[in-house]
Amino acid sequence: MDLARTEVAAPASTRARGAAAARLGLMAAPVAFFAVFFAYPVTAIVARGLKVDGAWQVGRIGDVLAQPDIRHVLWFTTWQALVSTALTLLIALPGAYVFARFEFPGKQLLRAVVTVPFVLPTVVVGTAFMALVGRGGLLDAWWGVRLDTTVWAILLAHVFFNYAVVVRTVGGLWAQLDPRQEEAARMLGASRLTAWRTVTLPALAPAVAAAALMVFLFTFTSFGVVQILGGPTFSTLEVEIYRQTSEIFDLSTAAVLTMIQFVAVGAILALHAWTVRRRETALRLVDASVTARRPRGAGQWALLGGVVATVAVLLLLPLAVLVERSLGAADLGYYRALTRDDGGVFLVAPIEAVVNSLQYAVAATAIAVLIGGLASVALTRRDAGRLVRGFDALLMLPLGVSAVTVGFGFLIALDEPPLDLRSSWILVPLAQALVGVPFVVRTMLPVLRAVDVRLREAAAVLGASPWRAWREVDLPMVRRALLIAAGFAFAVSLGEFGATVFIARPDNPTLPVAVARLLGRPGDLNYGQAMALSTMLMIVCAVALLVLERLRTDRTGEF
């Protein structure tokens, strides 16, 4: 009897060791990628700031924290991020429900419109909101109301940016939840609200937490929006790091602020990993095509109308301002000026930034999907060890570390063989992929962990290899999430500005860098060209997202 038990246990033990080895093998590429292109550059720039004549200036940390203006920056950074996150969830969760459960004309177009603001350069959005809420803006002209001197302009701009994060991250999982589970609860006597609170909300909790985490990190590290709309009154850590680095040239203070930001983000990610993993369960996922239907009743039509109105006022109005500003010259003069390279701003015609951005974004998306996909598969099992769970949190750190620090770190660290990449085109996609990988992981991981492990075990019992089991069990269920993740990575790459501005070559600028350079020069022509380039970026993103929507809603090959 003992011998029989030993013979049964041996294969199970072997399979467990094989699974652990496979998981570590999948983690190898993501670990190497983040070690070389994130940890090494950030460590190099921080070390340069805190080392004087080879000695660490530890006391500098206390000196920086003792400054009242720095403490004010820390307080404002934290509370505005919390309020921005709560406000975004409050406004965007109804939109996530509408896109997940309703079918209506123009849904694909509206979904693409929702995502477009997320990729616009922050400096452009800040300028657009200033035109809406500042002196002489639409609110000032119509009602005599100005918000540019208040924090409300910053909060609304943050909701503008992050609305798509909640809609696509939460809505992607919501669309695949089996509605019959909630219907069963209602048949047992639960009210609609009770059924949603006890059945649907716990299932959505990991996706909601992931969306909230991403929104918080983006607002915690907000740069362009606060720099333009905050003026001298409001400043985040990211803005202060940029000011200390580029204006005051105090690299040691910038290094201390980077470390503070790093520690704060690490603590947030650790808390997120602990709370979310305690609530993740296997879910019953179904084809999204069977869960969405036309609205029924006045209440559902009113909800759809409210979401459309929110999108129109909050998202479309700032975009309309960009288009209006780009058409300010007669005979499309701002657009024609983009084809000329005699403005002295670039070494090439500004229009070439469109092609550069598309090429960089495609390369960055491929890198992000590969690295993020491998990491997601490695992190699928909830019973993984502490090392793997810690890596889950570390994958999010690029969203919470100053892009200014990363950009300077690339220039300082990647300048010697065998990593002398400063003159290579791949440097820009690598920086963009660092921001794209967390979106791939956070989009795919909840769906991968929701796949019933018994399906994989059944495939293994029938003789399928781990690769074949993943290909035939997991892949059909996560294909939709994979396309969403690729779309996010592509969109993030198109709009990445913080690190790219330091490493993009003058003869190969990206769209956000070109816009920022044009905005930084006086004159109506430069401002109009910036608005024209921003409009082109918006159109390019909208077209790409519409193509993605057609692929994502293609029923062929879905389970």
Side-chain angles (χ1 to χ4, degrees):
M1 186 69 175
D2 292 339
L3 180 60
R5 290 178 178 174
T6 302
E7 292 175 348
V8 172
S13 176
T14 301
R15 286 197 300 269
R17 288 195 298 268
R23 187 160 53 245
L24 292 176
L26 290 170
M27 288 176 56
V31 168
F33 178 80
F34 276 83
V36 174
F37 299 112
F38 176 70
Y40 176 47
V42 171
T43 302
I45 189 67
V46 172
R48 177 164 296 194
L50 291 181
K51 268 189 175 183
V52 177
D53 297 329
W56 289 95
Q57 304 298 312
V58 180
R60 182 61 179 158
I61 299 177
D63 295 338
V64 171
L65 291 177
Q67 301 176 24
D69 56 337
I70 295 297
R71 292 201 300 269
H72 176 74
V73 168
L74 290 173
W75 167 242
F76 175 76
T77 301
T78 303
W79 82 257
Q80 67 82 24
L82 290 172
V83 175
S84 296
T85 302
L87 195 60
T88 303
L89 290 174
L90 179 65
I91 295 176
L93 281 177
Y97 175 78
V98 165
F99 280 106
R101 294 303 197 200
F102 290 171
E103 278 293 342
F104 52 90
K107 180 178 178 179
Q108 294 182 23
L109 176 61
L110 190 62
R111 194 195 301 268
V113 168
V114 164
T115 310
V116 168
F118 186 71
V119 306
L120 292 179
T122 55
V123 290
V124 175
V125 174
T127 304
F129 269 82
M130 184 65 71
L132 287 174
V133 304
R135 182 185 299 274
L138 294 183
L139 293 183
D140 190 16
W142 292 350
W143 297 298
V145 176
R146 290 181 56 190
L147 298 177
D148 57 319
T149 57
T150 70
V151 73
W152 281 106
I154 296 174
L155 298 179
L156 290 176
H158 284 163
V159 177
F160 172 89
F161 262 118
N162 297 296
Y163 187 91
V165 175
V166 178
V167 167
R168 299 187 75 96
T169 303
V170 179
L173 180 60
W174 207 336
Q176 292 182 273
L177 292 182
D178 191 346
R180 292 174 295 184
Q181 298 180 75
E182 188 173 323
E183 293 170 359
R186 295 197 62 196
M187 291 179 62
L188 293 175
S191 65
R192 184 183 297 274
L193 178 60
T194 301
W196 181 84
R197 181 175 54 83
T198 58
V199 177
T200 304
L201 183 59
L204 288 175
V208 173
L213 173 68
M214 287 188 284
V215 173
F216 182 86
L217 289 179
F218 272 112
T219 53
F220 189 80
T221 59
S222 183
F223 175 56
V225 167
V226 179
Q227 187 179 37
I228 293 176
L229 298 178
T233 306
F234 304 108
S235 179
T236 58
L237 271 173
E238 189 83 359
V239 174
E240 189 65 21
I241 291 172
Y242 178 81
R243 190 174 72 90
Q244 295 288 340
T245 304
S246 302
E247 298 178 9
I248 303 178
F249 304 107
D250 188 349
L251 197 58
S252 64
T253 299
V256 171
L257 296 179
T258 298
M259 292 178 60
I260 294 172
Q261 193 177 62
F262 190 85
V263 171
V265 170
I268 295 167
L269 294 177
L271 178 64
H272 168 268
W274 181 74
T275 56
V276 170
R277 293 181 64 85
R278 286 171 61 89
R279 304 189 67 175
E280 284 178 334
T281 57
L283 306 177
R284 182 184 299 172
L285 302 182
V286 297
D287 188 345
S289 63
V290 304
T291 64
R293 53 178 173 76
R294 291 183 63 84
R296 301 173 183 173
Q300 292 188 354
W301 281 107
L303 176 61
L304 174 59
V307 169
V308 172
T310 299
V311 172
V313 174
L314 181 64
L315 306 185
L316 289 182
L317 190 57
L319 299 181
V321 171
L322 295 181
V323 177
E324 187 272 332
R325 295 292 189 271
S326 72
L327 298 174
D331 301 325
L332 301 177
Y334 293 147
Y335 287 91
R336 292 204 309 272
L338 295 177
T339 62
R340 302 194 297 265
D341 58 359
D342 56 353
V345 183
F346 309 103
L347 299 180
V348 295
I351 194 67
E352 294 191 17
V354 177
V355 178
N356 294 336
S357 288
L358 290 175
Q359 292 174 340
Y360 288 144
V362 169
T365 301
I367 296 171
V369 169
L370 174 62
I371 299 298
L374 290 174
S376 299
V377 176
L379 296 169
T380 298
R381 292 178 60 90
R382 291 184 292 273
D383 58 348
R386 292 183 178 179
L387 178 62
V388 177
R389 293 198 299 270
F391 182 63
D392 186 3
L394 290 176
L395 288 171
M396 296 295 293
L397 284 178
L399 298 182
V401 172
S402 169
V404 175
T405 301
V406 175
F408 272 130
F410 267 48
L411 294 179
I412 291 175
L414 304 180
D415 62 341
E416 297 179 358
L419 292 175
D420 188 2
L421 301 176
R422 286 187 301 177
S423 60
S424 174
W425 68 272
I426 196 64
L427 197 62
V428 173
L430 287 172
Q432 294 173 343
L434 278 174
V435 184
V437 168
F439 281 93
V440 174
V441 174
R442 293 271 71 85
T443 303
M444 292 185 60
L445 197 55
V447 179
L448 277 170
R449 283 178 172 166
V451 177
D452 195 335
V453 68
R454 291 173 296 183
L455 296 177
R456 302 189 189 101
E457 294 172 350
V461 170
L462 294 175
S465 64
W467 161 245
R468 184 177 180 183
W470 186 88
R471 188 182 72 239
E472 297 188 6
V473 175
D474 293 69
L475 183 59
M477 294 187 177
V478 302
R479 182 180 290 115
R480 188 169 184 271
L482 182 62
L483 289 173
I484 295 175
F488 259 133
F490 183 81
V492 169
S493 301
L494 276 179
E496 205 286 322
F497 171 72
T500 306
V501 69
F502 296 102
I503 56 180
R505 298 188 313 210
D507 58 339
N508 284 295
T510 63
L511 275 170
V513 171
V515 170
R517 291 178 182 173
L518 287 167
L519 286 175
R521 294 175 61 90
D524 292 339
L525 179 60
N526 288 318
Y527 180 81
Q529 288 184 87
M531 296 301 102
L533 276 180
S534 300
T535 302
M536 296 177 68
L537 174 58
M538 178 179 64
I539 294 173
V540 168
C541 178
V543 171
L545 292 172
L546 281 174
V547 172
L548 177 65
E549 286 300 316
R550 293 187 64 85
L551 292 174
R552 200 173 65 87
T553 54
D554 182 5
R555 306 306 173 195
T556 59
E558 290 190 354
F559 64 99

